[in-house]
Amino acid sequence: MPTIAHGYAAHSADTPLAPYTFERRDLRADDVRIDILYCGVCHSDLHTAHNDWDGLIYPNGTLYPNVPGHEIVGRVTAIGDTVGKFKVGDLVGVGCMVDSCDHCDSCDHDLEQHCAHGATWTYNSPDRITGENTLGGYSDSIVVREDFVLNIRHAEAELAAVAPLLCAGITMWSPLRHWNIGPGKRVGIVGIGGLGHMGVKLAHALGAHVVAFTTSESKRADAFKLGADEVVVSRNAAEMAAQAGKLDFIINTVAVPYSLDAYLALLAVGGTMTLVGIPSEPHPSPSVASLIGGRRSLAGSLIGGIKETQEMLDFCAKHHILADTETVAMQDIESAFARMLKNDVKYRFVIDMATIKPAA
Ligand SMILES: [Zn+2]
Ligand SMILES: [Zn+2]
């Protein structure tokens, strides 16, 4: 039998999210049903709810009603007949994907996010079997194929601060691992927000020398606390100039269009800058000379595969790494969105799903 879920949905691009009751599918043999305890609030949630990515990320825009949320942690309440990895009562997570084709070259190499047939995103994506639009984690339960469910090995008391690892954490972890960041490497993290604060923590834990870049003098002390070895206020020309040619790798989280040349100039010979934020309008083209000059690379990266996401979660559990979060009630999601747009959060909102239960 399908089960009833209580969630919050956007019903159009310009109306506030509102309570929405819907069905979660009956368990397929390889499905896990999860009671959602916390869900992080990602910029993608807001942009999807507001249909900001029509044609940019989503070929058909946002389909309404849209239930956002892809930083999900919760507890297993039921399993399908063939599920072997999970049992009822387990603490688990679900990130940005809930399915993929399983047989293309990307899927064969644990890169489901690059599935040749298109990964099934946790929300606003057609279910691979029924074609129905997926509905995300701003709800009290979800049903997900077991291969896309992650084990959570943190303490239960830490769950709220684990949720943002499922998108923000893996978005930073995957490029750090792909470009072999560790001891002896100098890494720049540009933008100290939901993504960047995780980047500083993870790069520091991997043993790199971390240089945090922020536009805000007020974040300087915080960035040191997060684990930065140096902090550069990017409006300060002298501080920027002092880093010229010094960084082996940069992860740039900034998602507004601006000139990338100032950061390319900070890369050492052979260095790479990876972009993880998608601006709504293109960045101005960087100078080819600044790429050729130091044999520098400009790259991009999108979340990470399921195997890599589990690796990141296990690393974070072992090293006691959590996101810095502010917990909000489901009813307060619109004020959380408004504050997020002003960067008025340190550093991630997390919804406490206990607040969603309908009045008895
Ligand atoms: Zn996200
Ligand atoms: Zn595939």
Side-chain angles (χ1 to χ4, degrees), residues 100-108 111-112 114-119:
S100 72
C101 87
D102 269 345
H103 54 71
C104 71
D105 194 53
S106 292
C107 289
D108 283 347
L111 294 166
E112 300 88 356
H114 301 301
C115 176
H117 304 279

Side-chain angles (χ1 to χ4, degrees), residues 42-45 70-71 96 123 167-168 171 303 348:
C42 174
H43 279 263
S44 307
D45 301 349
H70 60 200
E71 294 182 340
C96 304
Y123 54 78
C167 173
T171 297
I303 52 170
R348 202 65 145 181

Side-chain angles (χ1 to χ4, degrees), residues 209-234:
H209 179 94
V210 182
V211 184
F213 293 84
T214 174
T215 54
S216 163
E217 182 64 46
S218 67
K219 285 190 179 167
R220 192 189 292 271
D222 260 26
F224 280 119
K225 272 189 236 158
L226 293 168
D229 297 286
E230 298 177 65
V231 180
V232 171
V233 174
S234 55

Side-chain angles (χ1 to χ4, degrees), residues 14-349:
D14 47 16
T15 50
L17 267 66
Y20 176 57
T21 301
F22 58 100
E23 286 188 346
R24 292 294 189 188
R25 66 173 180 251
D26 194 11
L27 290 186
R28 299 170 188 157
D30 58 350
D31 271 346
V32 173
R33 182 178 295 134
I34 301 161
D35 264 2
I36 299 176
L37 299 172
Y38 297 97
C39 185
V41 180
C42 174
H43 279 263
S44 307
D45 301 349
L46 180 159
H47 290 302
T48 305
H50 294 171
N51 198 21
D52 291 336
W53 287 343
D54 189 0
L56 188 67
I57 312 266
Y58 303 120
N60 303 313
T62 300
L63 299 183
Y64 297 98
N66 163 253
V67 177
H70 60 200
E71 294 182 340
I72 296 166
V73 291
R75 189 187 302 283
V76 174
T77 56
I79 56 173
D81 293 341
T82 64
V83 168
K85 268 170 63 188
F86 300 99
K87 60 183 191 310
V88 171
D90 285 353
L91 294 177
V92 295
V94 177
C96 304
M97 300 179 280
V98 288
D99 209 350
S100 72
C101 87
D102 269 345
H103 54 71
C104 71
D105 194 53
S106 292
C107 289
D108 283 347
H109 290 87
D110 297 307
L111 294 166
E112 300 88 356
Q113 74 274 33
H114 301 301
C115 176
H117 304 279
T120 305
W121 306 114
T122 303
Y123 54 78
N124 202 47
S125 196
D127 180 275
R128 209 159 52 85
I129 294 169
T130 65
E132 281 180 60
N133 193 32
T134 55
L135 301 172
Y138 291 10
S139 60
D140 58 3
S141 70
I142 193 166
V143 173
V144 180
R145 192 181 140 205
E146 74 167 323
D147 288 350
F148 286 78
V149 178
L150 290 308
N151 277 297
I152 303 285
R153 299 190 169 91
H154 287 77
E156 186 165 354
E158 298 172 326
L159 269 193
V162 171
L165 302 179
L166 275 307
C167 173
I170 186 61
T171 297
M172 304 307 282
W173 175 260
S174 182
L176 289 169
R177 296 289 288 156
H178 182 75
W179 277 276
N180 293 314
I181 298 310
K185 293 287 177 69
R186 297 176 56 92
V187 177
I189 304 291
V190 181
I192 306 304
L195 294 173
H197 95 288
M198 286 311 310
V200 172
K201 289 186 187 207
L202 293 169
H204 173 74
L206 286 166
H209 179 94
V210 182
V211 184
F213 293 84
T214 174
T215 54
S216 163
E217 182 64 46
S218 67
K219 285 190 179 167
R220 192 189 292 271
D222 260 26
F224 280 119
K225 272 189 236 158
L226 293 168
D229 297 286
E230 298 177 65
V231 180
V232 171
V233 174
S234 55
R235 298 181 203 279
N236 184 320
E239 286 185 32
M240 287 292 281
Q243 297 293 333
K246 283 193 171 173
L247 299 173
D248 299 298
F249 186 57
I250 296 173
I251 304 180
N252 192 327
T253 72
V254 177
V256 295
Y258 73 111
S259 168
L260 301 173
D261 288 318
Y263 286 101
L264 288 173
L266 308 188
L267 289 173
V269 172
T272 296
M273 177 158 75
T274 294
L275 309 180
V276 294
I278 302 176
S280 50
E281 303 293 327
H283 293 299
S285 174
S287 153
V288 174
S290 60
L291 292 170
I292 289 177
R295 199 167 69 187
R296 295 165 173 141
S297 301
L298 182 60
S301 185
L302 171 69
I303 52 170
I306 293 297
K307 184 179 171 193
E308 194 171 44
T309 305
Q310 188 65 61
E311 175 195 78
M312 176 274 307
L313 286 167
D314 293 347
F315 179 90
C316 289
K318 184 174 169 197
H319 293 269
H320 308 290
I321 297 171
L322 295 164
D324 289 13
T325 58
E326 179 178 336
T327 303
V328 292
M330 187 71 255
Q331 292 76 6
D332 297 331
I333 186 62
E334 288 295 331
S335 57
F337 277 174
R339 283 181 54 197
M340 196 163 69
L341 282 174
K342 293 187 289 183
N343 292 323
D344 176 24
V345 52
K346 287 181 173 176
Y347 283 91
R348 202 65 145 181
F349 288 114

